[in-house]
Amino acid sequence: MGKKLLLANDHVPGIQSLDVYSKHGGYAAVEKALKTMTPDALVEEVKTSGLRGRGGAGFPTGMKWSFLAKPEGVPRYLVCNADESEPGTFKDRYLMERIPHLLIEGMIVSSFALGANTSYIYIRGEYFYIVRILEKAIEEAYAAGYLGKNILGTGYDLDLYVHPGAGAYICGEETALIESLEGKRGNPRIKPPFPAVKGLYQCPTVVNNVETIAAVVPIVNMGGAEYAKIGIGRSTGTKLISASGHINKPGVYEIELGVPVEEFIYSEEYCGGIKNGKKLKAVVAGGSSVPILPGELILKTAQGEPRLMSYESLADGGFATGTMLGSGGFIVMDETSSIVKNLWNFTRFYHHESCGQCSPCREGTGWMEKILHRIMDGHGKQSDIDLLWDLQKNIEGKTICPLGDAAAWPVASAIRHFRAEFEAYVNNPGSIKEVRHYYSVNNLQPA
Amino acid sequence: MNNSSTNIENPVFSTESLALVHKIMKRYPEGKQKSALIPVLHLAQAEFGGWLSPKVMDYVASLLSIQPIEVYEVASFYTMFNLKPVGKCLIEVCRTSSCWLLGAEDIVHHIERKLNIKEGETTTDGMFTLKTVECLGSCGTAPMMMVGADFHENLTLEKVDDLLEKFRVENKQSRYC
Ligand SMILES: Cc1cc2nc3c(=O)[nH]c(=O)nc-3n(C[C@H](O)[C@H](O)[C@H](O)COP(=O)(O)O)c2cc1C
Ligand code: FES
């Protein structure tokens, strides 16, 4: 069994309540941090831990915290990113639903470290029922003196609120999230200024993912140096992986970073192998935005080394033969899956979710969706494949926020690794009509 | 939320909801009451029949002391806000990757046939509206659909049949928050 730092107690009955959570060591990090540590020491501890943002980009958290501007007399904010809308990702939901107090505890310690006296959890609107779970946990934390005025007699004040979104993937991007929290459309801002200088209400702001903030709790409890010993190389600690698709045991798994991908897919401890005894075809390892890799390349790097579940190993080979850990949304596709149709499905998503500010993204995603639909329907031309390639190149890096890149990478990687499949659709459309691209729910064998 | 005026020509929140609106507004600093807009629109949608009419949006604008246009531009940006009337029971099937790999398209077609409507439409009796939506964070329990605020996961066609039957018998009104 791998080490568990976040989900060690997720199956304890009643762990959602402050009582049971506290009996299992909960709120020890708040006691320790507020009573025995300074905010600067906390930031140092997080730096030492090597913790990297779990929202997708993997930016070192301690460093991000140290960039926070601290002008006199200006409030600072911590905003937790619980927007979780990257297709294939459902770990934050699991964490908030199972152990809400872990997030609340992380928010208190992190807010203290950053000198924030008001913090928000921005949660996607569809997670209504989790809003209620979190609000109940917050109420308990106020009653126990962990939130509010003069927390544990230390003189530190903190108010914590949950704020729902209303269905927009783009609001996971941190500046769009801030706009949305201000009651506006979720249009990303041009950076700089970065949120660390001008964020929420033009005040210095840190935005961190749910899992990042939760990970601060074990870091405070065990010390940054101990945390850094877990994992592999610069991928320290544990990571929640959302596993879905054609596997026997979909779900959220906490892994120690560095577990071999092969073990993750095939062992009983994790995904339990491919469903219905089929063969592995491809994996999208870090949420819909990261490059798709064929089975061979996800199991082994181009050099033939076993691929590991870590930031570095998944990225080995760059985009030519590698991918990214991203949000940890691990989508497995078996041999019956159609790469072309799956790509159309992703591209439709990005077209639907583009905020519309930047022309390359607004127009380009729509064109890509249309062309892919044409290819998928058997009306594609050879030149359409090249057109798709050009389109994604003209989106990547040419937009205000990385949604453009997120839309371009799946297209580039699918063509790079599965060009023959696109050509088959174009050259022999008759044969394609026979291929089923998904399991029928009542007929688990593809027709 | 039953003593409210559900008259969408002249919408007024119930006393209970109004108290909640004021509580929500206090979560944000002085002068930043516009931040309350999305949470209050959710409340309004729940209270005034599952959608946001122009009158309802104007009412929300007046409550938050902002311009109506500031409400319209937000309401039209976010997919959860319905700008047209919907059926009593709003069914939203996830159509993205993991759900789709595991048969979401079958679920949609099945519901279309059962209810005799196309995606995006409402049954003539006003009971059901069917929509498709993007990933709702249930990929590990795919395929899934949301009905009002409730998640229904690990769907099969039989399970969908049972649910539709149940909603009809209960004359189910979707909960929105
Ligand atoms: C289009 C887009 C969507 C994003 N969605 C999310 C999200 O749902 N959750 C999240 O934590 N980060 C998301 N991010 C990343 C955030 O912008 C930001 O990097 C992150 O919240 C920082 O937190 P971390 O450093 O703790 O990972 C998204 C980024 C982009 C460009
Ligand atoms: S793909 Fe359907 S819930 Fe994520």
Side-chain angles (χ1 to χ4, degrees):
Chain A
M1 283 292 271
K3 208 165 180 79
K4 291 215 162 79
L5 302 178
L6 304 178
L7 303 184
N9 295 322
D10 68 332
H11 280 100
V12 173
I15 195 77
Q16 287 83 358
S17 75
L18 187 136
D19 244 19
V20 178
Y21 179 73
S22 300
K23 286 200 181 95
H24 285 80
Y27 287 100
V30 171
E31 300 267 353
K32 181 172 174 185
L34 271 59
K35 288 187 174 161
T36 71
M37 295 173 77
T38 63
D40 287 347
L42 272 166
V43 174
E44 276 313 306
E45 210 61 54
V46 172
K47 271 192 189 164
T48 309
S49 74
L51 175 67
R52 293 163 71 174
R54 305 298 196 219
F59 192 83
T61 306
M63 203 188 298
K64 183 168 181 170
W65 287 11
S66 65
F67 293 155
L68 186 68
K70 296 183 175 154
E72 261 320 297
V74 179
R76 286 164 237 152
Y77 293 101
L78 171 64
V79 181
C80 172
N81 189 340
D83 192 55
E84 188 160 69
S85 309
E86 171 92 356
T89 315
F90 46 98
K91 63 179 178 89
D92 297 339
R93 172 185 171 195
Y94 186 90
L95 192 151
M96 292 187 286
E97 180 177 340
R98 294 300 179 105
I99 12 174
H101 281 287
L102 184 64
L103 176 60
I104 310 302
E105 183 173 12
M107 285 299 285
I108 298 168
V109 174
S110 306
S111 300
F112 176 70
L114 298 168
N117 298 111
T118 305
S119 297
Y120 297 96
I121 299 173
Y122 181 101
I123 186 166
R124 67 177 301 177
E126 294 90 343
Y127 287 175
F128 281 120
Y129 76 100
I130 302 180
V131 172
R132 277 196 290 271
I133 293 174
L134 290 175
E135 283 184 339
K136 181 153 176 279
I138 289 173
E139 214 172 277
E140 288 181 323
Y142 270 104
Y146 293 125
L147 280 171
K149 294 257 173 282
N150 192 18
I151 298 172
L152 303 176
T154 60
Y156 176 60
D157 303 337
L158 176 65
D159 284 311
L160 176 59
Y161 303 105
V162 184
H163 180 104
Y169 168 64
I170 191 61
C171 291
E173 194 279 334
E174 57 185 9
T175 61
L177 183 151
I178 290 171
E179 287 283 299
S180 181
L181 184 47
E182 292 182 359
K184 304 181 204 149
R185 296 165 76 91
N187 287 344
R189 296 177 179 171
I190 293 174
K191 299 190 242 189
F194 288 90
V197 179
K198 281 188 182 348
L200 182 61
Y201 311 128
Q202 296 298 312
C203 297
T205 302
V206 165
V207 179
N208 273 132
N209 175 257
V210 171
E211 186 188 346
T212 312
I213 288 170
V216 173
V217 173
I219 290 171
V220 169
N221 284 332
M222 72 202 308
E226 277 306 302
Y227 184 90
K229 288 183 191 155
I230 302 163
I232 183 166
R234 287 180 53 241
S235 296
T236 62
T238 63
K239 173 91 189 82
L240 300 182
I241 305 292
S242 319
S244 69
H246 297 142
I247 46 176
N248 284 319
K249 292 169 57 195
V252 174
Y253 296 100
E254 180 170 10
I255 60 157
E256 180 166 346
L257 283 162
V259 170
V261 174
E262 184 156 7
E263 179 182 338
F264 185 69
I265 297 178
Y266 291 100
S267 81
E268 277 309 309
E269 192 179 342
Y270 304 114
C271 303
I274 311 297
K275 223 172 150 149
N276 300 319
K278 295 271 185 259
K279 288 203 199 67
L280 172 66
K281 179 168 185 178
V283 170
V284 177
S288 60
S289 306
V290 310
I292 188 170
L293 286 184
E296 314 83 77
L297 279 177
I298 190 72
L299 297 176
K300 288 197 162 59
T301 66
Q303 274 73 46
E305 300 287 328
R307 181 93 67 186
L308 310 178
M309 300 284 281
S310 73
Y311 292 95
E312 292 74 23
S313 182
L314 283 168
D316 188 284
F319 277 7
T321 58
T323 180
M324 288 162 76
L325 179 61
S327 66
F330 197 88
I331 308 171
V332 178
M333 295 164 65
D334 76 9
E335 56 188 311
T336 66
S337 316
S338 161
I339 301 295
V340 175
K341 291 189 173 182
N342 187 65
L343 181 61
W344 164 74
N345 185 288
F346 277 165
T347 305
R348 176 177 65 177
F349 169 82
Y350 289 108
H351 181 209
H352 185 258
E353 299 299 333
S354 172
C355 81
Q357 276 194 113
C358 315
S359 313
C361 174
R362 182 188 62 241
E363 302 300 321
T365 51
W367 288 12
M368 295 197 301
E369 182 194 345
K370 227 191 240 170
I371 295 167
L372 279 161
H373 196 268
R374 181 158 79 206
I375 296 178
M376 185 175 110
D377 256 12
H379 303 296
K381 297 191 283 283
Q382 187 70 31
S383 59
D384 281 342
I385 306 173
D386 301 321
L387 186 54
L388 271 177
W389 184 266
D390 282 352
L391 273 168
Q392 62 80 20
K393 271 224 134 359
N394 280 302
I395 299 174
E396 187 190 12
K398 297 192 172 60
T399 52
I400 291 174
C401 91
L403 190 140
D405 302 340
W409 295 340
V411 175
S413 56
I415 298 179
R416 185 181 297 122
H417 299 298
F418 296 95
R419 192 173 178 108
E421 204 170 310
F422 286 81
E423 289 179 345
Y425 269 85
V426 169
N427 296 331
N428 197 358
S431 68
I432 299 305
K433 293 222 163 63
E434 308 305 315
V435 176
R436 263 175 82 65
H437 53 287
Y438 58 82
Y439 288 107
S440 153
V441 278
N442 276 359
N443 167 19
L444 285 174
Q445 294 305 316
Chain B
M1 300 188 191
N2 30 23
N3 61 340
S4 67
S5 153
T6 41
N7 172 8
I8 55 172
E9 281 308 306
N10 182 24
V12 181
F13 272 130
S14 66
T15 352
E16 191 185 66
S17 300
L18 260 186
L20 191 49
V21 168
H22 290 294
K23 192 172 152 206
I24 292 172
M25 286 167 71
K26 288 211 184 71
R27 294 175 186 166
Y28 312 98
E30 268 312 298
K32 305 295 181 193
Q33 79 284 353
K34 187 176 170 178
S35 277
L37 180 53
I38 289 177
V40 172
L41 283 176
H42 279 302
L43 269 183
Q45 181 157 287
E47 187 142 333
F48 303 115
W51 71 293
L52 298 171
S53 68
K55 287 260 165 59
V56 167
M57 291 191 276
D58 293 351
Y59 172 59
V60 168
S62 71
L63 285 178
L64 299 183
S65 315
I66 57 179
Q67 295 302 316
I69 183 71
E70 296 178 85
V71 180
Y72 306 159
E73 63 176 10
V74 163
S76 60
F77 184 85
Y78 295 91
T79 53
M80 288 181 77
F81 296 131
N82 303 313
L83 300 182
K84 284 192 296 205
V86 292
K88 277 186 89 160
C89 190
L90 175 61
I91 300 176
E92 297 176 296
V93 184
C94 170
R95 67 182 192 182
T96 322
S97 54
S98 308
C99 284
W100 181 79
L101 283 168
L102 292 166
E105 221 161 86
D106 281 355
I107 303 279
V108 174
H109 291 156
H110 184 72
I111 299 175
E112 285 180 335
R113 275 195 302 272
K114 282 279 294 201
L115 299 181
N116 198 22
I117 49 172
K118 289 272 166 236
E119 188 228 313
E121 294 177 350
T122 301
T123 52
T124 46
D125 63 358
M127 182 64 206
F128 294 105
T129 297
L130 173 65
K131 287 191 180 179
T132 59
V133 290
E134 302 292 357
C135 179
L136 293 180
S138 299
C139 335
T141 39
M144 72 82 68
M145 64 186 191
M146 205 173 168
V147 179
D150 302 322
F151 282 42
H152 298 277
E153 303 171 273
N154 291 311
L155 293 178
T156 60
L157 300 188
E158 290 76 28
K159 211 161 157 182
V160 169
D161 283 343
D162 291 349
L163 284 168
L164 291 179
E165 183 57 31
K166 185 164 155 271
F167 297 153
R168 222 187 259 288
V169 170
E170 288 172 358
N171 196 16
K172 174 154 175 112
Q173 170 70 60
S174 294
R175 272 181 330 112
Y176 287 95
C177 58

